[in-house]
Amino acid sequence: MRIPPFARYQRLLANFALMVSGAIIGSAVYMSIHQHTYTQLYVEMHKYLQENRDLRNDIDSLNKTKNKQSLINIVNVHLVSKNQDELISEDIQKEIESDIKSELKLVIGQKATYVKDAQPLYEKLITQKTYILHDKKYIVEVKSIVLIQTELTVWITAQEKRT
C-alpha cells in the first residue's frame, strides 16, 4: 500500500489552518463587541427600571392624594457635596438619596401644616445618621428642608466617616 506524499497537501493544510485561525479571531472580536454592547444595554435597562419604579411611586402617591391639595405628594432628596475635595461617587449618592427618601416616605399623605410644624423632627430623623455602603461609613447631615405647596425637598450632605 502506498501513502501519498505529504508535500502535496502542505499548501492546502496551511490555507485551512489560516482560515480556521481567522474564524477564531473573528469570532473573538465579534463576541467582545457583542459583550460590550450587551453590558451597556444592561446598565441602561437598570437605570430605566429604577426611573420607572420612581415614577410609579410618584404616580401612586399622587393618586392617593389627588383630591386633597393640602397634603404632601412628593418627597425629593438632593445630596450636595460638603466640600469639593471629597466627592462621593454617583452610585453612592443615589443609594443615600434613595435610603433617605424611603425614610421620609411616611411624610407622603400627611397634611402640609403638620409637616411644616414637625420639620425639626424630620431633621433629627436624618441628621447624624450613619449609612454603610460599599464597606464605607457615611454620616448624613441636613442642610435645609423646604416645603413648597405639596412637595417636600430636602438638601443633605454626606461625609465619609474615617476611623
Side-chain angles (χ1 to χ4, degrees), residues 137 160-163:
K137 293 181 180 180
E160 185 178 340
K161 183 178 182 182
R162 303 193 192 278
T163 55

Side-chain angles (χ1 to χ4, degrees), residues 124-142:
K124 286 181 184 177
L125 181 69
I126 301 169
T127 302
Q128 297 298 323
K129 190 150 190 181
T130 303
Y131 292 94
I132 300 173
L133 301 169
H134 303 285
D135 298 329
K136 293 182 181 177
K137 293 181 180 180
Y138 294 94
I139 298 176
V140 174
E141 293 181 16
V142 175

Side-chain angles (χ1 to χ4, degrees), residues 3 11 36 47 49 53 73 84 90 95 107 131 133 142 160:
I3 300 174
R11 271 187 98 168
H36 177 70
K47 184 177 89 173
L49 286 174
R53 261 185 257 124
N73 293 331
Q84 297 298 330
E90 188 176 335
E95 286 184 41
V107 173
Y131 292 94
L133 301 169
V142 175
E160 185 178 340

Side-chain angles (χ1 to χ4, degrees), residues 12-132:
L12 181 66
L13 194 59
N15 287 337
F16 180 72
L18 188 62
M19 185 179 77
V20 168
S21 64
I24 291 172
I25 291 170
S27 65
V29 168
Y30 172 76
M31 281 307 295
S32 68
I33 291 171
H34 175 73
Q35 187 65 31
H36 177 70
T37 306
Y38 182 77
T39 303
Q40 283 181 334
L41 286 174
Y42 184 77
V43 168
E44 214 171 296
M45 180 190 70
H46 278 286
K47 184 177 89 173
Y48 288 138
L49 286 174
Q50 179 63 37
E51 185 179 342
N52 188 7
R53 261 185 257 124
D54 291 343
L55 290 174
R56 285 185 187 272
N57 288 339
D58 288 346
I59 287 171
D60 289 342
S61 65
L62 288 171
N63 282 339
K64 184 169 60 172
T65 60
K66 69 181 174 183
N67 294 331
K68 303 171 185 172
Q69 292 300 319
S70 65
L71 300 181
I72 301 296
N73 293 331
I74 300 171
V75 175
N76 292 325
V77 178
H78 302 287
L79 181 74
V80 293
S81 60
K82 198 168 196 175
N83 52 15
Q84 297 298 330
D85 298 338
E86 297 179 18
L87 293 176
I88 299 174
S89 65
E90 188 176 335
D91 60 335
I92 293 176
Q93 286 181 0
K94 295 293 180 191
E95 286 184 41
I96 291 173
E97 287 176 359
S98 65
D99 287 346
I100 292 181
K101 196 172 185 178
S102 66
E103 284 183 20
L104 290 177
K105 202 170 192 171
L106 62 101
V107 173
I108 295 175
Q110 291 186 0
K111 289 189 177 183
T113 55
Y114 295 153
V115 174
K116 183 180 175 187
D117 293 339
Q119 273 188 359
L121 173 69
Y122 298 122
E123 191 172 327
K124 286 181 184 177
L125 181 69
I126 301 169
T127 302
Q128 297 298 323
K129 190 150 190 181
T130 303
Y131 292 94
I132 300 173

